Amino acid sequence: MAPKEFEPPVHTIPVDSENKAMSLNIFSFQRPHHMSFHMSWIGFFISFVSTFAAAPMVPVIREDLNMTKPDLGNAALASITGTIICRVLMGTFVDLVGPRIGLGMILLVTAPFCFAMPFVSTASGFLVCRLGIGLGLATFVACQFWMSVMFNGKCVGIANATAAGWGNLGGGVTQFVMPLVYAGMLKATEERAFTAWRWAYIVPGLAHLLGGMGVMFLGQDLPDGNYKLMHTSGALEKKSAFQVNMIGMKNYRMWCMVATYGFCFGVELTMNNIVASYLYDQFDVDLAIAGVLASCYGLMNLFARSVGGLASDWASKRFGMRGRLWCLWLWQTIEGVMCIFMALAKDDLATTIAMMVLFSICVQASEGASYGIVPYITRRALGVASGFIGAGGNAGSTICIALFFTSDSIETYDGIMYMGITIIAVTLLVIPIHFPMWGSMFLGPNDSTEEDYYIKNDFSAEEIKQGLAAPVQKFCNNAHMERPPSKRTGSESA
């Protein structure tokens, strides 16, 4: 229990009993809620820009380093595979130390790999640098955990989706910004193309340093203060790494979400790696034009992921948790269909771009809908769940690239087709996700189970007696809105 001398700060915006913001105002920079919102998406955005900075410059890089298609595929795999473990570790880290330090530190630690890229001379060196830079994608876990502890359930879907969507936007921005940076460096180096692409990597490296320091100094871990203060005052439980990992890993719903998220966010990572070179090779367009067209895929993050989060929050208001589950299944199944349509449009550039944009909108919306559900998977081990599910996205991309886009015997458009079919199949795993107190897609809730399930399932009787479950009790009280409308009180339906 928190000692009597601990007094939470007074907030000037509407908050719930956990001091989480009741609404999201994207134009506000007020601390702690909205400043942390902006720090989270900016940090994630920077990691996306640097991780996929190579993609639009691949035609130049592969000529300079004499790289084959398998070499490029392996480097792409490295950029998103290494962070699988990093995301899992980040989940535990934010549970124990907090999202501010987690996000800031990973940006600072990965910056040297950006600055090392100008010295690369072999395909293996390029792979190692892409691996190191890609570790920065673990910022996603801190970003989503941060939003889940800052914003109430009525807006957590849109908050998570907007922060992650604007962060993912970096994958689209880098497709046209890095060719522009490269063009500037080309002039600065007197048309030495093989030097220009190397100098271009200085820009994302500097962004890592500035972003990391900004997160550390301007962000705040929780509505009531940073983790160090909360631990010292006794207002926040000092968790055991082993314990929270076991709680998370025993939750089958988390594993279902790991798989499904692998085929929305994982698909986005895959497309960020292949789409520019696909358009360049398939339709023989100029490198700069290919980059601009490819950026359309990532630029849908400007609004589409928020649409998914908003749809999830709307479905929750109308139907409870069951609405959130149906929302995710619908968006992601349509995503798979649009992916197949893009592959079928392989002979026409305009149709390919149109299908790619629709495909991208569904991908981002599926991601937003996913993280409308994640905050309810487990409360005590939220960081672990966020870490594993986020890692599932990278694992899904690793699987897609390895199966469909590294072999010379599989045409890229055929790989896109196979990926679409896989998306539809894996999304069926949303069906068995069942919350005893709220139900699932096809089954209603158990009449004898209420929101204190989170306490009974994750805390021992002794821990409850010690008061460790008190913060989770507040969460349970605020989670009543996920009930079916017929089981809510008047205040919960408002």
Side-chain angles (χ1 to χ4, degrees):
M1 294 287 287
K4 293 181 179 180
E5 62 266 26
F6 176 77
E7 295 184 6
V10 176
H11 297 282
T12 58
I13 60 173
V15 295
D16 64 13
S17 60
E18 296 179 272
N19 285 331
K20 294 181 180 179
M22 298 293 289
S23 63
L24 171 67
N25 179 1
I26 61 174
F27 301 106
S28 172
F29 286 83
Q30 187 176 41
R31 296 193 71 195
H33 304 88
H34 292 97
M35 179 60 78
S36 295
F37 164 77
H38 289 294
M39 289 299 100
S40 70
W41 79 258
I42 290 171
F44 187 33
F45 176 91
I46 291 169
S47 72
F48 245 84
V49 169
S50 60
T51 296
F52 298 103
M57 299 189 291
V58 157
V60 177
I61 296 172
R62 68 187 176 191
E63 184 180 351
D64 182 13
L65 302 180
N66 297 314
M67 298 178 73
T68 62
K69 182 177 179 180
D71 288 333
L72 291 169
N74 289 334
L77 275 173
S79 71
I80 46 88
T81 302
T83 198
I84 293 175
I85 296 175
C86 195
R87 283 189 169 196
V88 171
L89 295 176
M90 179 64 79
T92 304
F93 190 88
V94 297
D95 263 331
L96 302 180
V97 182
R100 178 181 59 91
I101 294 179
L103 202 158
M105 285 299 295
I106 197 68
L107 285 175
L108 296 174
V109 167
T110 51
F113 290 97
C114 295
F115 293 121
M117 191 65 90
F119 304 101
V120 165
S121 59
T122 63
S124 58
F126 180 71
L127 183 150
V128 170
C129 283
R130 289 211 67 187
L131 170 66
I133 295 170
L135 297 178
L137 292 179
T139 52
F140 169 77
V141 177
C143 168
Q144 297 295 270
F145 179 91
W146 212 350
M147 295 303 93
S148 296
V149 297
M150 281 290 182
F151 291 91
N152 173 266
K154 290 184 177 181
C155 62
V156 71
I158 186 68
N160 265 332
T162 304
W166 289 3
N168 284 11
L169 191 63
V173 170
T174 197
Q175 299 286 349
F176 68 84
V177 167
M178 289 308 294
L180 293 177
V181 173
Y182 165 75
M185 296 300 180
L186 199 60
K187 290 183 179 179
T189 58
E190 299 178 345
E191 304 300 316
R192 287 180 291 174
F194 293 168
T195 301
W197 77 262
R198 299 167 184 275
W199 283 25
Y201 262 95
I202 295 173
V203 173
L206 291 173
H208 272 245
L209 293 179
L210 294 174
M213 290 187 289
V215 168
M216 298 283 277
F217 287 106
L218 298 177
Q220 180 172 302
D221 290 313
L222 297 168
D224 294 338
N226 287 323
Y227 264 46
K228 184 176 181 179
L229 168 66
M230 301 293 283
H231 283 150
T232 302
S233 66
L236 184 68
E237 174 195 4
K238 290 185 178 180
K239 299 176 181 177
S240 157
F242 175 78
Q243 185 179 36
V244 292
N245 271 279
M246 290 305 297
I247 290 171
M249 288 190 284
K250 288 190 294 184
N251 192 316
Y252 86 92
R253 300 173 199 85
M254 184 190 80
W255 294 110
C256 290
M257 293 293 294
V258 166
T260 59
Y261 197 66
F263 285 86
C264 53
F265 183 64
V267 168
E268 179 180 3
L269 295 179
T270 300
M271 293 299 293
N272 283 339
N273 269 310
I274 70 162
V275 69
S277 57
Y278 172 62
L279 296 175
Y280 178 83
D281 294 332
Q282 181 72 14
F283 299 103
D284 196 29
V285 296
D286 178 76
L287 176 61
I289 298 299
V292 171
L293 293 175
S295 72
C296 293
Y297 193 91
L299 289 176
M300 294 304 104
N301 275 296
L302 186 61
F303 69 93
R305 188 157 183 162
S306 296
V307 167
L310 194 62
S312 180
D313 288 342
W314 175 86
S316 169
K317 186 174 181 180
R318 292 291 302 274
F319 309 106
M321 178 55 68
R322 298 179 71 182
R324 291 192 190 273
L325 294 169
W326 273 103
C327 181
L328 171 58
W329 180 82
L330 284 170
W331 276 119
Q332 196 155 317
T333 298
I334 298 172
E335 168 199 328
V337 173
M338 291 297 103
C339 183
I340 293 171
F341 284 173
M342 179 182 170
L344 294 175
K346 62 184 175 63
D347 297 320
D348 184 80
L349 177 59
T351 306
T352 293
I353 298 302
M355 291 300 103
M356 181 186 76
V357 168
L358 293 174
F359 171 32
S360 177
I361 290 172
C362 293
V363 169
Q364 326 304 344
S366 299
E367 295 166 4
S370 294
Y371 271 80
I373 297 169
V374 170
Y376 299 98
I377 296 292
T378 170
R379 181 63 185 89
R380 196 180 191 189
L382 175 60
V384 170
S386 297
F388 272 95
I389 294 168
N394 290 76
S397 183
T398 299
I399 292 168
C400 286
I401 292 176
L403 290 180
F404 308 135
F405 301 107
T406 56
S407 173
D408 288 326
S409 64
I410 301 177
E411 296 291 342
T412 302
Y413 50 78
D414 285 332
I416 295 172
M417 168 82 76
Y418 301 149
M419 185 167 67
I421 295 170
T422 308
I423 291 167
I424 295 172
V426 173
T427 304
L428 294 173
L429 285 172
V430 177
I431 296 174
I433 297 176
H434 181 86
F435 292 87
M437 57 288 196
W438 301 321
S440 56
M441 284 177 63
F442 294 105
L443 298 175
N446 302 344
D447 291 335
S448 60
T449 307
E450 294 189 354
E451 285 73 14
D452 62 359
Y453 169 85
Y454 282 106
I455 294 176
K456 295 176 180 177
N457 201 51
D458 293 346
F459 291 88
S460 67
E462 182 61 28
E463 288 174 328
I464 294 173
K465 186 177 179 180
Q466 292 173 4
L468 297 180
V472 179
Q473 183 61 61
K474 293 181 181 179
F475 171 81
C476 294
N477 296 338
N478 292 319
H480 289 177
M481 67 188 74
E482 298 302 322
R483 294 175 176 178
S486 61
K487 293 184 177 294
R488 298 175 190 166
T489 66
S491 60
E492 289 158 5
S493 300

